[in-house]
Amino acid sequence: MLLELRAFQFMDESWGVIDIAGGVENLVTAGPALAASDAAVVCVSADPAAGVLAAPYLRMVEEAGIPAFLFINRMDQAAGRVADIVAALQTYCRHNIVLRQIPMRAGGEVIGAVDLISERAWKYQEGQPSALVAFPDSIHARERQARGEMLEALADYDDDLLEQLIEDRKPLTEAVYDVATRVLQHNDLIPALLGSALHRNGILRLMKSLRHEAPAVEVAAQRLAADEQPLAVGCIGDLVKHLGKTVVVRALSQPVGAGAQVGGGNLGAMTQLRGQSAVEKIGAGAPATGRAAGNGRNSSQACSGDLAPGDIAQVVKSDHLSLGYAYLENRAAQLPQWAQPRPSSYQRIVTPVHDRDDVRLTTALERIAEIDTGMQIEQDEISGHALLHLQGPLHLRRILTLLNESFGIDVGDEPVPPALRETITRPVTIHHRHRKQSGGAGQFADVVLSIAPATRGSGFHFTDEVKGGAVPRGYIPSVEAGAREALKTGANGHPVVDVQVTLMDGKHHSVDSSDYAFRTAGKSAVREALAEAGSVVLQPIMRVEIHVPSVFTGGLVPVVSGMQGQILGFAAHPEAAGWDVFETLLPVAVQDQLCSSLASATRGTAWFSSGFDHYEEARRTSSAAGGGR
């Protein structure tokens, strides 16, 4: 599952965890989930080299301003120092990351953890809560150093604690917990805990920290809208057979129930998932393997009353609800920018394998778009088929699978052909006479046209230099219209751009001349000129902005060069720590290749946005020169 909500009981309290798989293409699901959550837990691998994989999610968590924990997972496989892991993660985080635990080792393996606030040691037990054990003598020095660093970090936000440290007085444990709670809820720093979810190690410590320190649901409501308190927010959308679209919503500022006016419509039937304290769990660096925190969606019941603030329910028969919005009583307010999808520059044309599914495919895609904010649909102007804007190849694969499994539609896909153009290479002057007799009124128009290359990117220009009324003024627009029509298809089959057409001379007949005759003459004259003026194919060049972790920036240079791109430069991102913004010009024909090459060169952490910049002559080696539209 890409995203799943797990509702469960912990210490006689209802909890909900929105579990999201790692990977930059899954960022689109994190926005609404973060908006509905009280806190985030970013699961990272216990490998410093994998720290960069958490970078996209650390960036999003910071943009959201949501309190967050780091859970350093798979500690049973850790070979290096935890300090190195934190240092690797700190590169991509403006907030100070503070270790709240240090590992206990035996024979080089991690067997437990020491809590730096309570100063108690816990030994991991397979599939069970950790056992409280005596403090190993070998760890005292490391514990004192790590605890001192943690206290100094917390003291930056509490004067009393700072005073105790200056006076070399040991602070009370409860007082330190209070400071840690306040600092987390104010989103001042990010605490890091240790464990191995696969073996259920460290999960209890994590849950207790969340229970005591995560803020109340009112804080989530204020984070979305300080002036208007939203009633609820949609965090998960799904298409369920026999039920249609369902939306998992979380009540925020006041009770809501079935039939209540929310988002400009009435809520349908609800199934309560018994989740109240909502935490988003993000897998980064490795798939999130911790299943100990919940038991899927088994913990649910028909909702017989109102949802209290913080409660979560699955709603059916509420087609007016969509993801990406917070719901007030009479309208839906778009979620903040951090919760919106990243630019979707991966484009594919999709067509049904069977013609009978053509109409069904359009309806199915519209339904999917209601629960997938990362997909936009438009109609391809050339083929008339659906054109999808997606987050990447994996996103496309999920859409095709959903179409097949939920709607029974087999679909093929293909890249969008580049919108090629052509232009001429030399000026030509053409004299063309259009004459036709058909028994009645005839047709007569005589024109002398000059066609010449214009400045690249200037488009089409038409002027006239006719003197003495050789071509009456009323017919000149018809000549221009004919010229424009002829330029729709050039010698290579593409629209012709960047030309200057000049009407130099001509003749007319007082009876047989007409708008139609001069339009036909202008069209024929330009077509003759195009055949003699020489032509070159032009390919569209896109201006591409790549957001990339700084460690990978240098590796993009050969990637871009290999795709005949022009590097414009790169600079540190003004707000995101450890990120660069890399700008380049690339032929649009390589945009598909850019997706795969970027994923390979950056371990799937970078993304890009693009927009048309200009046309330039297609190189013979370019795939763009072989076809297009």
Side-chain angles (χ1 to χ4, degrees):
M1 287 289 291
L2 171 66
L3 181 151
E4 187 173 352
L5 187 142
R6 306 174 184 278
F8 60 96
Q9 295 288 309
F10 176 71
M11 297 187 73
D12 297 325
E13 295 176 348
S14 295
W15 284 75
V17 171
I18 305 170
D19 192 0
I20 298 176
V24 70
E25 288 189 32
N26 299 334
L27 277 172
V28 65
T29 64
L34 278 173
S37 299
D38 299 326
V41 177
V42 183
C43 298
V44 299
S45 173
D47 178 6
V52 67
L53 302 181
Y57 284 95
L58 288 172
R59 176 174 171 176
M60 190 174 200
V61 164
E62 289 194 308
E63 289 174 349
I66 185 172
F69 279 91
L70 275 176
F71 183 72
I72 302 177
N73 196 13
R74 299 185 175 179
M75 284 301 299
D76 55 311
Q77 302 174 18
R81 301 188 314 152
V82 174
D84 294 336
I85 301 171
V86 172
L89 296 168
Q90 189 67 70
T91 303
Y92 308 103
C93 196
R94 288 173 295 159
H95 286 68
N96 187 19
I97 300 174
V98 178
L99 271 175
R100 289 267 296 268
Q101 296 173 325
I102 60 171
M104 289 194 305
R105 301 177 188 269
E109 295 184 359
V110 175
I111 62 168
V114 174
D115 186 280
L116 296 177
I117 295 183
S118 66
E119 296 190 281
R120 292 191 292 181
W122 301 90
K123 184 178 180 180
Y124 295 150
Q125 299 187 114
E126 182 68 26
Q128 301 179 37
S130 301
L132 182 63
V133 296
F135 230 71
D137 294 336
S138 59
I139 208 172
H140 277 294
R142 281 198 298 122
E143 189 274 338
R144 281 195 299 269
Q145 179 183 355
R147 176 177 164 83
E149 293 171 355
M150 178 200 68
L151 292 175
E152 289 176 4
L154 294 176
D156 288 339
Y157 307 96
D158 187 86
D159 291 340
D160 290 338
L161 180 57
L162 177 60
E163 182 179 343
Q164 292 177 62
L165 295 183
I166 292 174
E167 296 176 355
D168 201 23
R169 290 187 288 128
K170 184 175 181 178
L172 296 175
T173 298
E174 289 304 318
V176 178
Y177 273 123
D178 289 343
V179 175
T181 300
R182 188 168 65 251
V183 167
L184 177 79
Q185 294 185 357
H186 290 175
N187 193 30
D188 292 322
L189 52 74
I190 297 179
L193 302 175
L194 314 177
S196 176
L198 183 63
H199 303 284
R200 300 186 66 175
N201 297 333
I203 299 298
L204 183 60
R205 293 293 100 204
L206 172 65
M207 286 304 304
K208 285 190 173 181
S209 296
L210 288 167
R211 180 174 181 266
H212 291 289
E213 299 173 35
V217 64
E218 292 79 15
V219 177
Q222 293 170 1
R223 189 169 62 245
L224 294 182
D227 50 347
E228 294 182 273
Q229 294 296 299
L231 299 176
V233 61
C235 50
I236 302 175
D238 201 358
L239 293 173
V240 180
K241 200 169 185 178
H242 307 308
L243 291 179
K245 184 179 78 171
T246 68
V247 178
V248 174
V249 300
R250 188 179 191 218
L252 293 179
S253 59
Q254 63 187 51
V256 296
Q261 182 80 8
V262 173
N266 292 326
L267 279 184
M270 297 189 297
T271 300
Q272 189 171 352
L273 301 176
R274 295 186 182 176
Q276 189 169 44
S277 299
V279 178
E280 183 185 43
K281 181 164 71 99
I282 302 168
T289 57
R291 304 275 176 177
N295 56 357
R297 296 193 181 189
N298 297 326
S299 182
S300 62
Q301 61 181 3
C303 187
S304 57
D306 289 346
L307 296 179
D311 284 346
I312 302 173
Q314 186 178 40
V315 182
V316 298
K317 298 181 181 179
S318 294
D319 285 351
H320 67 288
L321 298 182
S322 296
L323 301 186
Y325 294 89
Y327 306 116
L328 289 81
E329 184 175 348
N330 295 313
R331 67 183 181 89
Q334 194 170 46
L335 292 176
Q337 186 60 40
W338 54 262
Q340 302 304 318
R342 305 289 184 188
S344 47
S345 298
Y346 185 73
Q347 302 176 7
R348 304 293 285 189
I349 293 175
V350 294
T351 55
V353 173
H354 306 291
D355 291 340
R356 66 175 182 271
D357 291 330
D358 195 26
V359 175
R360 292 180 61 226
L361 175 60
T362 300
T363 303
L365 288 172
E366 290 173 350
R367 295 293 286 173
I368 293 173
E370 293 177 7
I371 62 162
D372 189 336
T373 58
M375 181 181 77
Q376 288 82 45
I377 313 168
E378 62 178 277
Q379 187 178 44
D380 179 58
E381 59 183 16
I382 302 298
S383 67
H385 295 302
L387 172 59
L388 304 185
H389 298 261
L390 303 160
Q391 300 297 308
L394 294 178
H395 190 195
L396 170 66
R397 193 180 308 166
R398 292 198 299 269
I399 297 299
L400 298 185
T401 300
L402 188 58
L403 286 170
N404 178 268
E405 294 180 353
S406 296
F407 297 92
I409 303 175
D410 292 324
V411 176
D413 69 280
E414 60 184 19
V416 182
L420 301 181
R421 300 291 183 264
E422 58 184 273
T423 192
I424 59 175
T425 59
R426 56 182 179 271
V428 172
T429 299
I430 291 291
H431 176 209
H432 181 85
R433 175 172 292 180
H434 173 70
R435 175 184 288 173
K436 187 175 181 181
Q437 290 294 131
S438 57
Q443 297 178 24
F444 178 86
D446 188 294
V447 294
V448 179
L449 292 179
S450 170
I451 182 170
T455 304
R456 187 63 48 79
S458 60
F460 169 75
H461 300 276
F462 181 87
T463 58
D464 75 275
E465 298 178 357
V466 177
K467 298 180 181 178
V471 178
R473 304 302 300 175
Y475 293 143
I476 291 178
S478 297
V479 178
E480 179 181 355
R484 288 182 180 275
E485 188 173 347
L487 294 175
K488 289 181 179 179
T489 306
N492 295 285
H494 309 298
V496 182
V497 296
D498 302 338
V499 294
Q500 170 76 48
V501 176
T502 303
L503 176 60
M504 303 178 67
D505 201 358
K507 295 180 180 179
H508 73 286
H509 188 277
S510 59
V511 175
D512 292 342
S513 289
S514 64
D515 286 330
Y516 176 79
F518 273 97
R519 183 187 183 108
T520 303
K523 179 179 179 179
S524 299
V526 170
R527 282 184 171 173
E528 292 177 22
L530 290 176
E532 297 182 19
S535 66
V536 292
V537 175
L538 302 177
Q539 62 180 339
I541 302 298
M542 310 299 286
R543 189 181 188 97
V544 180
E545 183 180 274
I546 303 173
H547 289 246
V548 56
S550 305
V551 68
F552 297 127
T553 300
L556 293 187
V557 174
V559 170
V560 170
S561 299
M563 291 186 284
Q564 302 176 0
Q566 176 187 348
I567 298 171
L568 301 179
F570 58 88
H573 194 284
E575 297 177 355
W579 287 80
D580 285 341
V581 178
F582 189 104
E583 292 190 284
T584 179
L585 296 176
L586 282 169
V588 71
V590 304
Q591 194 150 293
D592 262 15
Q593 181 184 346
L594 177 62
C595 283
S596 57
S597 297
L598 202 59
S600 176
T602 69
R603 301 180 68 181
T605 56
W607 68 86
F608 70 94
S609 60
S610 63
F612 173 77
D613 191 83
H614 67 280
Y615 277 97
E616 70 177 30
E617 183 176 345
R619 304 176 187 179
R620 292 296 179 185
T621 56
S622 171
S623 61
R629 43 219 255 144

